[in-house]
Amino acid sequence: MKPYLILPMGAFLLTSSSAFASSCSEEISTLQKRLNSSGARTVAGESQVGATPLGTNKALDKAPASIPSEAANHSTAGGVEEARGLVEKAAAQEKAGDAEGCRDTILKAKETVGALP
């Protein structure tokens, strides 16, 4: 391999791996906000105290009256709790450097929680 190609390829590999890591951390942050929103707290039967604060672009100040059109997409209290556990697991995977495991766990958490009001 030619020496002048090694440096750009190395730089690309380093930047692409850090992009995956930040992508998972952003997904974790976004999903944590969704799971702490008033809609998720309503589904889980929790108090609205401590819900994601107003002014954030990741949660609504109150749950809308509409419901998902597909019954399979309805959120349940158990689904919200399970998704919260999966987000904690994903955060631990990210911290350990397991980017692929983190992304897989976040995907499973999103499927588990369903559509929040």
Side-chain angles (χ1 to χ4, degrees), residues 17-112:
S17 65
S18 64
F20 287 130
S22 67
S23 173
C24 195
S25 65
E26 289 172 8
E27 291 284 337
I28 290 170
S29 176
T30 300
L31 196 50
Q32 283 174 331
K33 289 176 185 173
R34 281 187 60 215
L35 292 172
N36 197 34
S37 69
S38 62
R41 287 178 171 265
T42 299
V43 168
E46 299 171 349
S47 166
Q48 296 300 318
V49 175
T52 302
L54 296 174
T56 176
N57 61 355
K58 304 294 182 195
L60 300 174
D61 58 340
K62 64 180 184 171
S66 64
I67 57 173
S69 58
E70 295 183 31
N73 288 338
H74 288 273
S75 295
T76 62
V80 169
E81 289 304 315
E82 185 178 347
R84 286 177 178 158
L86 288 168
V87 168
E88 289 177 17
K89 178 181 176 183
Q93 288 172 319
E94 182 200 23
K95 189 173 184 178
D98 182 9
E100 184 176 341
C102 180
R103 287 190 301 273
D104 291 343
T105 303
I106 286 294
L107 180 61
K108 183 171 169 77
K110 287 179 178 180
E111 291 170 353
T112 301

